[in-house]
Amino acid sequence: MEENKRKAGWKFFLAELMIIITGTLGMGVLGLIRRQPEDRLLGNCVTMLFVLGAVCFHLRREYIHDGLDYDNGDHIFRFFLCLGIGLAVAFACGFLPVGGWPFLLVFIMLSLFSSMSVGILSAASLLLASVLLSGCDVGGFALYFVCGVFAVTLFRHLGEDFKIGIPLFLSVLCLLVCETANVVLVANARPDFEIFVIPVANMIVSSILLLGCLKVFSSVVVYRHREKYLDIIDSENPVIARLRERDRNEYMHCVHTTYFCERIGKRLGLDVDALKSAGYYYRLGGELTQMLEDKQFPPSAREILLDYRNRNTGMKKKETAVLYCSDMIVTSVKAAYAEDGQAQVNFDRLVDDIFSRLFKDKTFDKCNISVGELRTMQQVFKEEKLYYDFLH
């Protein structure tokens, strides 16, 4: 299966260069303000140069090979914006008490707008900058690194339901426990109320900042095209209504295909809204062409439809493969019933035959879908035997 590859142009390179230069110079200037020895100052600058270089290199690799979560690959510069904000936070933390660093926000923010690996690496690099500036020991780094990785894991792959209550509670609780163990208890063998003030304040501030970050994320990523998708898949949409009136059988074919697209899309963790939109419209002719030219679909749905139209030259997206297979299953089941309405169709054999032919013809050689995902799709079709009665 061929990997999707993006091109990182001069703007990408310029953003990388700006982050590396800003981070390195910032370490130097702030180190002078902190009156760090010359050898330590030079070491910190060199460390920051190579660490940020590693972050940018890893980001570039993930971007080129389409390894970023959500639609972050299509909006890569919002990650650079988040990285710039994170860098400012890291420099500010160099002058704050260790117990008051809002690094939970940095880890989650950078991960949500890139991927888990990029977010953890970049946030850990910024955390290192704060540690080098403040002069705190390795315990401070371990405290926020553990909390950050735990939180990133909890918030990974937020679904359309956007359930953030439990991840938010557990993340903040982990922060409080780790701060109590690594800052409060270590700092004073007989803890009193005052030394809990900074950790508790950090917990409250981190919670507020996280809620703000998640609100922005839901607006620009999760629900960005929600209204447009709802309009497109609405049964009373003028285009769908005309198809239903013009050809009921064709309309029902699209409905059945969309059902399988939704089921498989959820199982494989794909863009379900985009798949459903493509499922309702993929069999339209000139009307769909006009809609594509007018860009009436959200980008993800439009890419699936265009990829499906070019399927004879090799489809590239996983969602297109799901749409293609769903259409084949619906067509084949309807054809089997058309031959003999009273026949008992062996659906397992029918599905196996279709997928055997697809593998033999190397239909998905240029697609980024894995063999395991194709086998999962095959299994879903076998599980839906009861639904096939609706195709009769």
Side-chain angles (χ1 to χ4, degrees):
M1 311 295 174
E2 185 179 275
E3 282 187 285
N4 283 347
K5 291 188 177 181
R6 301 173 182 270
K7 291 184 178 179
W10 66 270
K11 292 182 179 179
F12 193 104
F13 174 75
L14 184 61
E16 291 176 313
L17 193 62
M18 287 179 62
I19 286 294
I20 293 173
I21 291 176
T22 302
T24 305
L25 290 179
M27 284 295 289
V29 172
L30 295 178
L32 289 173
I33 294 175
R34 294 299 299 261
R35 297 183 178 181
Q36 293 179 338
E38 290 185 3
D39 57 342
R40 181 180 172 187
L41 182 64
L42 179 61
N44 290 348
C45 290
V46 173
T47 299
M48 202 63 188
L49 174 68
F50 281 101
V51 165
L52 289 178
V55 170
C56 291
F57 176 74
H58 182 56
L59 172 66
R60 177 179 285 261
R61 293 286 297 176
E62 291 293 286
Y63 173 76
I64 290 174
H65 294 286
D66 201 19
L68 301 179
D69 295 335
Y70 308 104
D71 64 343
N72 293 324
D74 299 322
H75 305 278
I76 190 62
F77 291 103
R78 66 191 181 197
F79 171 76
F80 281 110
L81 174 62
C82 292
L83 189 57
I85 294 173
L87 192 60
V89 171
F91 287 156
C93 287
F95 296 85
L96 297 175
V98 176
W101 293 358
F103 257 94
L104 202 60
L105 167 69
V106 177
F107 271 89
I108 294 175
M109 175 179 66
L110 292 177
S111 297
L112 289 178
F113 288 101
S114 58
S115 67
M116 185 174 184
S117 62
V118 173
I120 290 176
L121 176 61
S122 54
S125 301
L126 300 182
L127 176 59
L128 177 62
S130 297
V131 170
L132 293 176
L133 278 175
S134 65
C136 78
D137 58 22
V138 69
F141 181 90
L143 157 65
Y144 290 106
F145 182 78
V146 170
C147 293
V149 172
F150 179 69
V152 167
T153 303
L154 290 173
F155 280 98
R156 193 182 187 195
H157 297 317
L158 288 174
E160 293 179 359
D161 50 4
F162 205 64
K163 295 180 179 179
I164 62 172
I166 294 178
L168 181 62
F169 172 76
L170 292 177
S171 298
V172 175
L173 179 63
C174 177
L175 175 65
L176 181 61
V177 170
C178 288
E179 285 211 71
T180 301
N182 290 275
V183 177
V184 177
L185 298 181
V186 174
N188 194 328
R190 299 176 59 186
D192 54 34
F193 176 77
E194 291 184 1
I195 62 175
F196 282 93
V197 172
I198 293 179
V200 172
N202 187 20
M203 181 185 70
I204 296 173
V205 170
S206 294
S207 299
I208 296 172
L209 292 176
L210 276 177
L211 286 173
C213 174
L214 292 168
K215 176 64 176 177
V216 172
F217 179 75
S218 67
S219 299
V220 302
V221 179
V222 179
Y223 301 131
R224 184 184 181 193
H225 299 294
R226 172 55 65 87
E227 291 186 5
K228 182 173 285 190
Y229 276 127
L230 290 176
D231 178 63
I232 287 174
I233 64 178
D234 188 350
S235 60
E236 298 305 316
N237 182 285
V239 178
I240 296 178
R242 284 195 297 270
L243 173 63
R244 186 169 59 245
E245 294 173 2
R246 182 173 65 247
D247 192 333
R248 180 74 180 182
N249 289 331
E250 190 73 3
Y251 167 74
M252 290 308 300
H253 188 106
C254 292
V255 170
H256 296 316
T257 302
T258 301
Y259 170 80
F260 287 117
C261 285
E262 182 177 10
R263 292 279 294 166
I264 297 168
K266 288 180 178 179
R267 182 74 68 88
L268 298 181
L270 304 180
D271 191 335
V272 176
D273 284 336
L275 258 174
K276 290 172 64 178
S277 299
Y280 276 112
Y281 292 85
Y282 76 107
R283 289 174 72 90
L284 295 179
E287 200 166 12
L288 175 59
T289 301
Q290 187 61 47
M291 293 179 71
L292 290 171
E293 290 177 355
D294 295 341
K295 297 184 177 180
Q296 295 184 31
F297 294 95
S300 296
R302 187 170 185 272
E303 289 175 6
I304 296 171
L305 289 165
L306 290 173
D307 196 30
Y308 182 82
R309 286 197 156 191
N310 298 323
R311 62 190 180 279
N312 292 331
T313 58
M315 62 192 80
K316 296 178 173 60
K317 295 181 66 65
K318 293 181 182 181
E319 289 84 357
T320 312
V322 173
L323 176 61
Y324 182 79
C325 292
S326 299
D327 175 74
M328 288 197 68
I329 292 294
V330 173
T331 301
S332 299
V333 172
K334 290 173 67 175
Y337 279 133
E339 289 181 7
D340 185 355
Q342 303 302 319
Q344 295 295 320
V345 181
N346 188 329
F347 295 113
D348 285 350
R349 181 181 297 174
L350 183 146
V351 172
D352 287 338
D353 288 345
I354 290 174
F355 275 83
S356 294
R357 187 165 66 253
L358 292 174
F359 282 117
K360 182 179 180 181
D361 295 341
K362 299 181 179 180
T363 305
F364 303 114
D365 273 12
K366 294 183 178 180
C367 185
N368 65 351
I369 193 167
S370 67
V371 174
E373 288 169 325
L374 288 170
R375 294 300 185 192
T376 299
M377 193 191 315
Q378 184 177 355
Q379 184 60 36
V380 172
F381 285 126
K382 291 182 179 182
E383 294 170 358
E384 293 294 331
K385 295 183 180 68
L386 293 177
Y387 184 83
Y388 295 133
D389 289 338
F390 293 106
L391 277 66
H392 202 297

